[in-house]
Amino acid sequence: MKVLIAEDGAQYVGYFAEELTTDHGLDVVVTDTPGEAGKLLASGQFDVAVVDILFDAQIAEFDRSARSRQVPLTASRLVLSGLSVIDSARKVNVPVAVWTTGEPNRHLHLVFAYELQGVRSFCSKQAGSGSESLHQAIVGAAEGRPRIDAMLRLFLPPDGAPALAETILSGPASKRAIWRALAYGAHSRDEVHELTGIAKSTIGNLTSIAMFDDLALFDAGIQRPNRFGFQTRAKFNELVRYATSNRAFFLDDAVRASFR
Amino acid sequence: MTKPSPLIVDEDLARHTTQRLVGKLEAVALVVQATGLTTTATIDKLMPGGQQLLYGLAVVHIALAIVVLRVGGPFRWGAGWAGMWLGLVFLMPLIMAHLVAPTQYGSSPACVPLCGYANGPFLIMAFYPWIHPRLTPIRPALEVTLIVALGVEQFLLVHALQGQLTSTNVTSVLSGLLGNTTAFLVGKAVGSMCRRAARAQLEQQHENYEEFFNFLHSHVKGSILAIKKKGVSADSALSQLRYLDEVVTTRRLQMMGFTDNVPLAAIFKEHIRRFEGSVGRAPQIGALSVDRTAAQLIDRALGDLLSNAVHHGSRVDIDFSRHDGLLRLQVSDDGPGLPDDVLDDPSTSLFRLRRDARGVGGDLTAQQAAQPGACLVFSVPIRIPRRRRSGVT
């Protein structure tokens, strides 16, 4: 079986690739960039793709250019992540196993991969002490069997929970544009308007009602402003906090391509 | 690797903090100026057409305030625009000198007509970072010169209109100047407050960095040195790695509690990782976040219940559900079961956990398990009212 591993953790990926080859007889190719992974998958030579979610170099590059506003919000490339690699794998019918640490800032990526990209094999980098768990995830993906490590299962939504596409990513394109503007660094209605061109009254209406309600539906623990507070401002601040904590997701190229 | 930001209150940080804190103040200043114009138009004895002119100027100022609310004020847009606003400050005494009778200007010991017009611009000029950083050394001299120049202009106007300066004229001009200077000093106080706010933020961050640095030094570096020692055995190295794993997990859980929106799945993950080989069934929690107090209680509950279960059994199942604003965590094992009075024994951690859970509207109960073994159910509200949070230890 030929396996592509898209992973930038130089400290350990070599070790895992070697064990998969010597102990399990797999033919393993490693790449540390999602762009290169996409090109390799298009060649059609792989049976399974093992995909990391976030790549440090991509995030660092985006942070640098976003801080100086060199990259506009409407640029075709903002943050390239494992979700784009999964899309490339799906195009050529290569099954995918997601391999990640399961940090909170990858949570929405995991949910996206599960709900919208059909990934059912998830392996935690912190599982076990060798490559056995990863090997099982690869075999599970190849055979079409769901295989989800306990530590990553925690991040996936329970049955019947409102989905991303029904909540945060639902509705008109203006809502998603506002999320992106908030993730990009806009912290006021004026700044969102500057970045998106959406009318300030529309921004006010969407953030105080539809977007906040969507978020509260997706995450039932979201703090609702008390009855006597400045509700509109408090709701807006909550959306800013959420967008900032999950900026890599809202600005992700694959997410933007699927939900314009 | 992302570099941490430096801990310096530099000019950029101070400017940025000031702009963020007082963004809309220029609009307020314009409204105050409009109020002054309206009051003067209404109360003072003016030449024909003077009242209409001042009312008209008041309307223009209100319109400018609305524009400023949307696009930012003169000081925000730079020295050129700020200069235009300050120019109006010097133009207004000339206008008033023509609108009142020649003997009227400077005849009231209170102050000259429309003396408060300069207060808003002077207040903002005092703290707003409107001047280029390279010109900062000459800024105080520039500001004092402007205030003094306004006073000199008014003295010259009175002298030109009346041919002399009486003590009442001097008092009139100086009273107005006193008000302008007070506004300027208030502006300086505002600027000082903004810098102090930036500094306080950074001091807190500095403390956090220090504390984390000590943690890295004492625990992480220490363990790494122990592992790197020549002749260290594999068992000893593994023991150090386990210790390192444990302290890093504890630290991560602590840091999660720094915010008031803690992702629940992340707390579960850290505990399940500790007992990985023993956990059979784990729940799907999804996007749910909880407040800091609930997070602390759930962290404790997972620690106590999982330790207890793993200590007595070989397999632990964790179930989780949410209903009517309550989170319900069930931990069951295949061990010998629990003594009937374990939750009533004050010396046990389970007793203290139950006490704290009940204090915030939750509970800890022992349930009859379907199979032999122990089954404990811990419940806590998703969001704990503030008045109930302080009781949690």
Side-chain angles (χ1 to χ4, degrees), chain A residues 47-79:
Chain A
D47 301 301
V48 173
V50 173
V51 180
D52 188 10
I53 291 291
L54 291 184
F55 293 76
D56 284 344
Q58 309 295 322
I59 301 288
E61 186 197 324
F62 171 74
D63 279 344
R64 255 193 315 270
S65 23
R67 225 173 267 133
S68 53
R69 295 286 162 116
Q70 283 171 15
V71 178
L73 190 55
T74 48
S76 57
R77 166 80 68 89
L78 285 179
V79 181

Side-chain angles (χ1 to χ4, degrees), chain A residues 10-164:
Chain A
Q11 310 96 306
Y12 50 80
V13 68
Y15 161 77
F16 277 94
E18 197 184 313
E19 270 211 2
L20 288 170
T21 306
T22 53
D23 293 0
H24 303 289
L26 302 180
D27 181 4
V28 178
V29 172
V30 177
T31 176
D32 61 358
T33 63
E36 184 62 28
K39 286 182 196 154
L40 286 168
L41 283 165
S43 66
Q45 53 179 301
F46 294 97
D47 301 301
V48 173
V50 173
V51 180
D52 188 10
I53 291 291
L54 291 184
F55 293 76
D56 284 344
Q58 309 295 322
I59 301 288
E61 186 197 324
F62 171 74
D63 279 344
R64 255 193 315 270
S65 23
R67 225 173 267 133
S68 53
R69 295 286 162 116
Q70 283 171 15
V71 178
L73 190 55
T74 48
S76 57
R77 166 80 68 89
L78 285 179
V79 181
L80 200 57
S81 74
L83 298 183
S84 296
V85 180
I86 297 173
D87 274 345
S88 302
R90 289 172 79 206
K91 279 188 190 134
V92 292
N93 294 319
V94 170
V96 169
V98 164
W99 190 36
T100 181
T101 50
E103 298 298 321
N105 68 342
R106 288 151 172 81
H107 172 208
L108 292 181
H109 295 81
L110 290 175
V111 175
F112 188 91
Y114 182 76
E115 287 180 352
L116 295 154
Q117 294 178 314
V119 176
R120 288 295 180 271
S121 189
F122 291 85
C123 176
S124 168
K125 285 179 185 168
Q126 292 163 321
S129 56
S131 61
E132 183 52 39
S133 190
L134 181 57
H135 177 245
Q136 286 175 16
I138 291 169
V139 170
E143 294 173 0
R145 275 186 294 111
R147 199 239 172 239
I148 305 174
D149 277 349
M151 280 184 277
L152 297 183
R153 179 183 298 279
L154 297 165
F155 292 94
L156 301 179
D159 291 337
L164 268 174

Side-chain angles (χ1 to χ4, degrees), chain B residues 74-223:
Chain B
F75 281 96
R76 191 186 158 193
W77 286 101
W81 291 94
M84 281 169 62
W85 198 14
L86 288 168
L88 274 179
V89 164
F90 286 87
L91 184 60
M92 213 46 77
L94 287 170
I95 293 173
M96 289 312 302
H98 281 85
L99 291 184
V100 300
T103 52
Q104 290 291 312
Y105 194 85
S107 65
S108 163
C111 72
V112 297
L114 215 58
C115 60
Y117 186 81
N119 287 350
F122 279 174
L123 187 150
I124 293 171
M125 173 183 76
F127 71 81
Y128 207 90
W130 58 282
I131 201 169
H132 195 279
R134 261 184 292 173
L135 298 175
T136 305
I138 66 162
R139 182 174 167 164
L142 206 61
E143 289 167 343
V144 168
T145 304
L146 283 169
I147 297 172
V148 167
L150 184 64
V152 167
E153 183 198 16
Q154 288 165 356
F155 276 126
L156 288 174
L157 270 173
V158 170
H159 194 269
L161 288 168
Q162 297 171 21
Q164 59 178 356
L165 274 176
T166 64
S167 57
T168 308
N169 297 146
V170 171
T171 309
S172 182
V173 172
L174 288 180
S175 299
L177 212 54
L178 182 65
N180 300 152
T181 306
T182 306
F184 176 75
L185 292 174
V186 167
K188 282 294 179 198
V190 169
S192 171
M193 255 175 22
C194 292
R195 281 188 175 269
R196 261 188 266 140
R199 199 167 287 119
Q201 252 184 295
L202 273 174
E203 275 167 11
Q204 182 60 57
Q205 206 170 330
H206 196 274
E207 274 179 33
N208 293 341
Y209 273 16
E210 278 275 329
E211 202 264 322
F212 192 66
F213 183 83
N214 290 335
F215 165 78
L216 287 176
H217 177 75
S218 310
H219 297 286
V220 178
K221 197 77 180 172
S223 294

Side-chain angles (χ1 to χ4, degrees), chain B residues 283-340:
Chain B
Q284 286 182 216
I285 294 172
L288 192 59
S289 58
V290 294
D291 66 51
R292 197 173 356 167
T293 307
Q296 282 171 1
L297 281 170
I298 292 168
D299 176 29
R300 269 174 62 191
L302 282 167
D304 289 348
L305 301 185
L306 287 178
S307 300
N308 195 62
V310 167
H311 183 65
H312 292 105
S314 57
R315 179 193 154 103
V316 179
D317 289 327
I318 307 170
D319 291 288
F320 176 83
S321 61
R322 178 170 67 86
H323 187 63
D324 282 343
L326 265 186
L327 303 175
R328 189 176 177 276
L329 164 68
Q330 178 175 302
V331 176
S332 42
D333 62 52
D334 57 358
L338 289 167
D340 288 341

